[in-house]
Amino acid sequence: MFHRAKLLNAKFAGADLTEANLNKTDLKNASLANIKAPRAMFFEADLGLADLTGADLREGKLGKARLVRAKLDGANLKESILMEARLDDASARGADLSMVNLVNASLRRANLEGANFENSGLLSAQLREANLRGAKFIDADLYDADLSGADLTGADLSGSRLTRVNFDGAKLDGVNFKGALMPDGREHP
């Protein structure tokens, strides 16, 4: 459809892009709020500064996509692939990121307050200095993730795998670790 297109500052708010091919498309600063794009492909797309507030991106293919400083507040990314994606300084407050593949993704300084990462894979993900207040990581796999300096106040990490996670300087007030596999390999009571 728009494969490799240059769509800087494009206005697609509310559009239906179900199963669209936007691989390697330049969508910097695009208005994509409330789009309906389940199963759409954004592999290696540049969505830096794009507004994806409330977007339906379920089962999307966003591997290696660049979403630096993008707005994803309230977006639905359930069962999407964001492997090696860059979401540094992005905002995804209250977003549904359940059952998402975020292996080797970078979410440094991202605002992910209240986001749902239930059953997601965040192996080797970079979440340094991220705002994860009240986020849900129930049964998530965070093996080797970097959460140094992150604010996890009130987050739910119950049942998650936290082996080799770096929590240096992280705020852990009120975090639920029940049944989590801790960095030292022991299960939290």
Side-chain angles (χ1 to χ4, degrees), residues 1-2 11-22 27 31-42 51-62 72 74-77 80:
M1 180 185 245
F2 292 107
K11 308 227 181 300
F12 283 99
D16 187 345
L17 297 170
T18 301
E19 298 182 4
N21 182 348
L22 294 147
L27 287 155
S31 175
L32 300 158
N34 300 307
I35 62 165
K36 289 165 186 48
R39 296 174 303 286
M41 297 177 287
F42 292 91
D51 183 0
L52 291 145
T53 305
D56 179 357
L57 299 163
R58 288 171 292 136
E59 300 176 52
K61 309 291 187 272
L62 293 103
L72 293 146
N76 184 351
L77 290 128
S80 291

